[in-house]
Amino acid sequence: MVRQLKLGAVLMGVGGPGQHDTWTHPEIPGDASIDIRWYVERARQAEAALFDLVFIVDSQFITPDSPPHYLNRLEPLTLLSALAVSTTHIGLVGTLTTSYNTPFNLARRLASLDLISGGRAGWNVVATGDGGTAANYSRDEHFDYASRYGRALESVRVCQGLWDSYEDDAFPRDVATGVFLDPTRQHRLDHVGEHFSVRGPLNISRSPQGQPVIFQAGDSDEGRDLGASIGEGIFTHSPTLEQAQAFYRDLKARAAAKGRDPEHVLIMPGVTPVVADTDEEAHEIERANRLGADFAKNLAQFGRPFGWHDFSGYDLDAPFPDLGDLGADSFRTQAEHIKEVAREERLTLRQTVERFMSSTPQPFVGSATTVAAEIERWFTGRGLDGLNVHITVPSELARFTDEVLPILRDRGVVRSEYEATTLRGNLGLPIPRNVHTVARESARVPVHS
């Protein structure tokens, strides 16, 4: 099969991190993040452009300083179930935490979406970083870093086991004989692990794609290892091609070391393309978007990796403060990176906030021809297998779909039609065989000396 660029659409409603004023745009309804009609229109717009999936981000702890989209948004699987009956081919991927969900409930909800959509469900597995979430789930303390990743791996393995509760021929539904279920094709899990104990079986059968597609995002060593273990799609961020290539090689090598086919681990960085009539105009738009944010709002959101630590009382022009191990049980990798850069470059707090909250220049900026060429360069250079495009303003998405994608389509980089009706089929991923069916068939094979 010819390798082609995969495309995801990240639907961010009234604006995520760093997008403080997106909600004021005339094309964005003020209630876009809770308006199912807005999501349906964007999903159909992406499907018309032959995107592989829409992606719904999520978290379950907010403060008044959280991004507008985070303050008031729909629960992912409820939202995606509505999109499932409003679309026909596009994949439906939602973020669900393994820290504050149990595997049986996760498996059942995701399997339901998979059946409702005809095999288009995907799960973005996250080990919750926001420590404040604990208080919303009757816990005095957030899970420590090791426990979060241990729970994540075990949770996914339990869900995958539960999704094999029924073999594909478990339900004869033979009216003549009165046989609805073949009980030999139903299997209990009887899992007892470090974090979970789950008997099973799951009370729902497999979908046309067998199991939901597993996605994962995490740049720490633990995150990369988890992605290499269970991820079929990897969400990441890389500001330069060289960094993207390094991440790509590392994840693929880790997957291969675990006995997996690295071609079945798709690397899809998040991007915000800026397309204009000329390169100069596009760079001016990108620069204004990146540098025009309100500093006070950036300062407030800067505290998130550090467990929403309040930096407003610090001297902005003094050296970056000694924070000790603050952030160790939140977004540890991001917090440690910020502290390391601030220390090595001797930055003030103000300079550090500007450095990390103003973001780095986007790599895909320019005329349609320029953006298409750069995407092709990253794709052929093995910096990525696909793109996760952040979507807010509909006309900006239209410039990408109507001007950039036709160029890439003419070059054979992106598809001209959907290959399948399932998410796995369109991503080029195999259907996982039911482990009990495989075992039964293996037992029938005669052994020859």
Side-chain angles (χ1 to χ4, degrees):
M1 180 181 294
V2 177
R3 180 173 175 259
Q4 289 188 316
L5 184 78
K6 306 306 178 186
L7 292 169
V10 188
L11 306 185
M12 297 294 284
V14 294
Q19 300 174 325
H20 310 300
D21 299 322
T22 296
W23 64 275
T24 65
H25 194 284
E27 292 184 42
I28 303 290
D31 63 350
S33 295
I34 55 169
D35 184 354
I36 191 59
R37 295 168 298 180
W38 184 88
Y39 287 101
V40 169
E41 289 168 1
R42 300 291 75 71
R44 287 175 172 170
Q45 189 179 3
E47 186 170 66
L50 305 178
F51 273 57
D52 292 88
L53 58 96
V54 293
F55 172 37
I56 306 301
V57 301
D58 194 38
S59 61
Q60 296 175 65
F61 175 73
I62 58 172
T63 76
D65 297 313
S66 296
H69 177 63
Y70 287 26
L71 291 171
N72 188 22
R73 57 178 165 180
L74 298 174
E75 187 278 323
L77 288 192
T78 307
L79 163 58
L80 291 170
S81 293
L83 296 187
V85 296
S86 305
T87 56
T88 56
H89 286 77
I90 199 163
L92 308 164
V93 181
T95 293
L96 292 160
T97 174
T98 56
S99 301
Y100 296 101
N101 279 297
T102 58
F104 189 91
N105 191 32
L106 284 169
R108 189 183 188 202
R109 292 161 61 200
L110 285 158
S112 295
L113 175 63
D114 214 18
L115 283 176
I116 290 169
S117 64
R120 292 185 283 139
W123 174 18
N124 179 42
V125 177
V126 297
T128 293
D130 267 328
T133 310
N136 290 332
Y137 286 87
S138 305
R139 286 184 59 88
D140 294 330
E141 293 183 356
H142 189 37
F143 294 101
D144 63 43
Y145 207 77
S147 295
R148 296 206 320 260
Y149 278 95
R151 284 175 63 91
L153 178 58
E154 187 176 339
S155 184
V156 172
R157 295 304 187 205
V158 171
C159 286
Q160 291 172 328
L162 288 170
W163 288 328
D164 277 354
S165 292
Y166 286 117
E167 297 182 58
D168 291 338
D169 56 355
F171 293 99
R173 300 185 180 93
D174 190 328
V175 176
T177 61
V179 176
F180 183 77
L181 167 70
D182 178 350
T184 68
R185 302 295 194 263
Q186 181 196 74
H187 303 276
R188 277 171 47 179
L189 184 63
D190 290 323
H191 171 85
V192 178
E194 180 181 356
H195 301 281
F196 304 107
S197 177
V198 184
R199 175 175 172 171
L202 189 66
N203 56 341
I204 190 167
S205 56
R206 284 163 45 113
S207 82
Q209 69 171 354
Q211 297 186 2
V213 180
I214 302 296
F215 293 82
Q216 189 270 342
D219 196 38
S220 67
D221 193 60
E222 294 90 342
R224 292 186 185 208
D225 206 49
L226 177 65
S229 298
I230 54 97
E232 296 169 287
I234 304 295
F235 297 147
T236 184
H237 171 72
S238 298
T240 69
L241 175 56
E242 292 71 26
Q243 288 171 292
Q245 289 170 327
F247 181 88
Y248 189 101
R249 289 192 298 268
D250 182 56
L251 251 295
K252 300 276 184 170
R254 289 181 190 236
K258 294 178 182 296
R260 301 184 62 201
D261 184 343
E263 293 302 309
H264 295 158
V265 181
L266 304 175
I267 312 299
M268 300 180 65
V271 299
T272 305
V274 179
V275 184
D277 293 340
T278 66
D279 290 356
E280 292 76 14
E281 181 184 350
H283 281 287
E284 185 58 37
I285 294 171
E286 191 273 341
R287 191 178 302 109
N289 291 342
R290 181 165 45 87
L291 301 179
D294 184 299
F295 182 84
K297 292 179 180 178
N298 275 343
L299 179 65
Q301 290 189 24
F302 179 74
R304 189 182 185 219
F306 303 97
W308 287 104
H309 184 66
D310 183 3
F311 285 91
S312 62
Y314 291 80
D315 182 347
L316 292 174
D317 297 309
F320 189 78
D322 181 1
L323 301 175
D325 63 354
L326 192 67
D329 287 334
S330 295
F331 296 91
R332 187 179 74 181
T333 302
Q334 185 179 0
E336 291 303 314
H337 178 60
I338 291 171
K339 287 186 278 189
E340 180 183 0
V341 170
R343 182 176 59 252
E344 290 182 352
E345 299 186 14
R346 299 181 179 180
L347 303 179
T348 64
L349 174 57
R350 185 190 304 276
Q351 291 170 329
T352 307
V353 173
E354 291 173 344
R355 169 75 170 270
F356 287 95
M357 296 304 294
S358 295
S359 74
T360 55
Q362 290 290 325
F364 305 116
V365 178
S367 67
T369 302
T370 297
V371 171
E374 190 66 0
I375 290 173
E376 184 178 19
R377 187 170 78 94
W378 282 50
F379 179 65
T380 57
R382 295 282 176 167
L384 51 79
D385 296 307
L387 296 173
N388 233 10
V389 182
H390 289 83
I391 306 300
T392 51
V393 180
S395 62
E396 293 176 4
L397 172 60
R399 292 211 70 160
F400 180 75
T401 60
D402 299 349
E403 298 177 34
V404 176
L405 291 187
I407 298 172
L408 293 172
R409 196 162 283 127
D410 287 344
R411 298 176 182 179
V413 176
V414 297
R415 66 166 58 89
S416 296
E417 60 182 3
Y418 282 113
E419 298 84 8
T421 58
T422 67
L423 178 55
R424 285 187 179 278
N426 286 318
L427 290 177
L429 297 172
I431 296 175
R433 295 204 65 202
N434 186 293
V435 295
H436 305 290
T437 302
V438 172
R440 181 164 42 81
E441 291 176 350
S442 298
R444 293 176 181 170
V445 177
V447 177
H448 300 286
S449 57

